[in-house]
Amino acid sequence: MLDFFTIFSKGGIVLWCFQGTGVTESFTGPVNALIRSVILQERSGNNSYTHDALSLKYKLDNEFELVFVVGFQKILTLSYVDKFIDDVQLHFRDRYKNELEQKGARTLLSSCFAFEDDFKMLLCEAEESSKARGPTSMRSFNASLKSQKTVKSMIETKGGDKGKEQGGKKNKNAKKEAPAAEPVKGEQAKALASAQKTVENGNQGLTQEEIIQKKREEFIRKRMWAPAEKPSKSPKPAKEKTKGKEKRVWTLGGSSTKELDYSQRNGNGAHATGDHVLDAQADPGMQLSSMKGDLLAVDYESSEDEEEDAVERVVVADTSKQIPKKGTFGGMFGMLKGLVGSKSLSQEDMEPVLDKMRDHLIAKNVAAEIASQLCDSVAKKLEGKVMGTFTTVASTVKGALQDSLVQILQPKRRVDILRDVLEAQSQRRPFVITFCGVNGVGKSTNLAKISFWLIENGFTVLIAACDTFRAGAVEQLRTHQRRLNSLHPPQDDGGRPVVQLYEKGYGKDAAGIAMEAIAYARNQAFDVVLVDTAGRMQDNTPLMTALAKLIAVNMPDLVLFVGEALVGNEAVDQLVKFNQALADHSMSDKPRLIDGIVLTKFDTIDDKVGAAISMTYITGQPIVFVGTGQTYNDLRSLNARAVVGALMKA
């Protein structure tokens, strides 16, 4: 039933392994994929992983730094695997506790772990227990209670029920007739009538006879046309004469339109001279600094003291309220027990801290689902681990969460665009980058920033205007092209413009325009082709199909998803559906998915940087560029530790 079972240390030393009968394929491929994609990427919240036709279950032993992995065919439903892997872990720990406590690579390599007999015994017990809990067979009619009943018993039961119902009705009638059986004497009835008071229509405290007398008087008064006495009211004050609507005078409005005309004045209110007008036309804001070489990293100013204060405010203060006080000595010893590493961490110890951490991450714009998975991964990583001396649970959990976040933001593979462009140059072909994303996230603006960065590093750029849907998209790119060529005049580059725009207008096929642009760039020896696509929502199936067609036909070197840093839970939905659409509408067995992320509007979120975590966690791809403003210089690379520092700040 099982294909393999292996036990290895987190250092990579295989202690023991088992391979099922008839299994010839090596299990190193699935296990290595599990290590790369799950364990190293801090995604161990869920203890299952699927690789091709195999389903893998794993368990981490944090006390002895071990990993237990079992693999079986994913078409099988084995209910005993979770309990079986727990039993194997406990037996292996108990049997080789002395060797594992030394925690040395040389000791592990020299030790002999003969675990074959125990493993087979535990496997037989698990399989037998699963068979014992199998579904029971259906009972026959003779074995059921219904077969023991006769027609006579059913008739008697119905008759008995009717008798009971009739008896019940009689009892109810008897109860209703019981009060009438005792007549009330005449004198007692008069006394009750005279003493009865009513509260209807404002006649409180009056007897029935007084109410009748009052109604007679009112009837006589109406017949005699005598108006009823009304309570006196205060005289109304005389109404003042209403004035007409007055004209509103604005404080800063001025008395004429000439006073509102500031086109011929400078900041001091005086009329501007010709020199000022010429300076305004020259646009001094276009004097940009150089961006040669690698991009600067995003910097976030935060000190270690602020981070420690954040932990104290966010976690420790809240978790300390939940610790019950059990006497003076009990509270003191409990405090010392929380500080000194006297026991291993359990799920109950970490639960209040993880709850506060989860809420803190959600408040910092991390998607709720991602925040829960991160906290579950940290819990699996720390469960059973012995704390260090004079360390609290909060600081231990915070440190593990910080390490996990940094590991997530650090890319599995480094995207070095400058190196890749040089490699494409050696092959005499252009390096193609495609930008995709939802509406209004800043694809065209950040494409222009990346163009400026590439020009600063000595490359020529061709912009393919494949947004044939949005009005003004081509004109926007033409404006950027004109601005970039003014910053780098053609006479400085051998008389050839460093940026050119390839466009065919509106309403055309975007995939065809991209193909023609790439062919034109190859013939004209352009270094880089930047393909701008139309913004589309992830639920728009026709547009997502068109995007998948563009990528599948042209096979760009890099597919960048442009997302804004303002989104929260929406980032998860966008990236999942974009990747799913690219996979569904691709014509190859290995479809091209999103290769990297451009995070825009990073200057508008202060320390709510959770979108970076959500996007990277979902795709497993790095954040290549970070947009931090409106000018061509406002382009940065991601600094993982700075982002995590901002995320953990209270």
Side-chain angles (χ1 to χ4, degrees), residues 174-377:
K175 288 181 181 178
K176 290 181 181 179
E177 294 172 357
E182 297 181 0
V184 182
K185 296 181 180 180
E187 295 179 358
Q188 293 178 354
K190 290 181 181 179
L192 290 172
S194 61
Q196 186 179 8
K197 305 293 182 180
T198 62
V199 292
E200 297 178 357
N201 298 327
N203 297 322
Q204 290 184 344
L206 300 179
T207 61
Q208 190 69 22
E209 295 178 355
E210 292 174 348
I211 292 172
I212 294 173
Q213 184 65 27
K214 185 178 179 181
K215 289 183 177 180
R216 285 177 179 174
E217 293 176 357
E218 290 178 356
F219 177 74
I220 293 172
R221 189 165 50 248
K222 289 179 181 179
R223 292 298 298 269
M224 298 298 294
W225 298 98
E229 296 180 0
K230 295 183 179 180
S232 60
K233 295 182 180 179
S234 59
K236 295 182 179 179
K239 293 184 179 179
E240 297 181 358
K241 294 182 179 180
T242 58
K243 298 180 181 180
K245 185 176 181 180
E246 296 180 356
K247 183 179 179 181
R248 176 174 293 181
V249 180
W250 297 97
T251 306
L252 302 177
S255 58
S256 64
T257 57
K258 293 182 179 180
E259 296 182 4
L260 300 177
D261 186 8
Y262 290 91
S263 61
Q264 301 297 328
R265 302 185 182 193
N266 55 20
N268 298 325
H271 288 278
T273 60
D275 296 337
H276 290 83
V277 176
L278 292 176
D279 292 341
Q281 292 176 357
D283 194 2
M286 293 295 292
Q287 305 298 327
L288 301 173
S289 60
S290 176
M291 293 182 67
K292 291 183 179 180
D294 293 332
L295 292 171
L296 298 176
V298 174
D299 190 16
Y300 183 83
E301 297 180 358
S302 63
S303 62
E304 295 180 359
D305 297 336
E306 290 180 355
E307 293 179 3
E308 292 177 1
D309 294 341
V311 176
E312 294 295 331
R313 289 195 297 270
V314 174
V315 179
V316 177
D318 293 314
T319 55
S320 61
K321 297 177 183 179
Q322 302 178 6
I323 300 175
K325 295 182 179 180
K326 299 181 180 179
T328 306
F329 293 100
M332 184 177 296
F333 285 115
M335 180 183 65
L336 293 175
K337 189 175 181 181
L339 291 175
V340 183
S342 59
K343 65 169 186 176
S344 59
L345 286 172
S346 63
Q347 187 72 27
E348 290 75 15
D349 298 332
M350 296 182 289
E351 191 65 32
V353 183
L354 290 173
D355 288 342
K356 301 307 294 184
M357 284 291 184
R358 185 181 296 107
D359 296 341
H360 178 73
L361 291 176
I362 294 173
K364 288 300 181 75
N365 233 9
V366 180
E369 180 184 356
I370 305 301
S372 299
Q373 292 179 10
L374 282 172
C375 292
D376 293 342
S377 177

Side-chain angles (χ1 to χ4, degrees), residues 10 34 38-49 56-68 82 85-86 89 93 344-351 354 358 371-386 396-397 400-401 404 617:
K10 290 186 178 179
L34 171 69
V38 178
I39 298 176
L40 292 181
Q41 292 296 318
E42 303 293 342
R43 301 170 186 268
S44 55
N46 187 10
N47 65 340
S48 62
Y49 175 71
L56 278 67
K57 294 272 188 178
Y58 63 93
K59 186 173 181 62
L60 304 179
D61 190 329
N62 298 302
E63 184 177 355
F64 295 112
E65 301 292 329
L66 299 178
V67 182
F68 298 79
D82 292 328
I85 199 171
D86 292 339
Q89 179 203 12
R93 282 164 47 101
S344 59
L345 286 172
S346 63
Q347 187 72 27
E348 290 75 15
D349 298 332
M350 296 182 289
E351 191 65 32
L354 290 173
R358 185 181 296 107
S372 299
Q373 292 179 10
L374 282 172
C375 292
D376 293 342
S377 177
V378 170
K380 291 285 181 66
K381 183 179 178 180
L382 293 178
E383 189 175 5
K385 189 174 182 179
V386 178
T396 304
V397 173
L401 183 60
S404 299
Y617 191 90

Side-chain angles (χ1 to χ4, degrees), residues 30 45 51 67 265 293 331 344 367 370 400 407 460 466 469-471 488 499 505 515 520 555 600 636:
H51 178 77
V67 182
R265 302 185 182 193
S344 59
I370 305 301
Q407 186 67 33
T460 56
C466 295
F469 181 77
R470 177 172 63 91
H488 290 269
V499 182
M515 181 182 294
Y520 178 80
M555 293 302 293
T600 65
R636 298 287 185 270

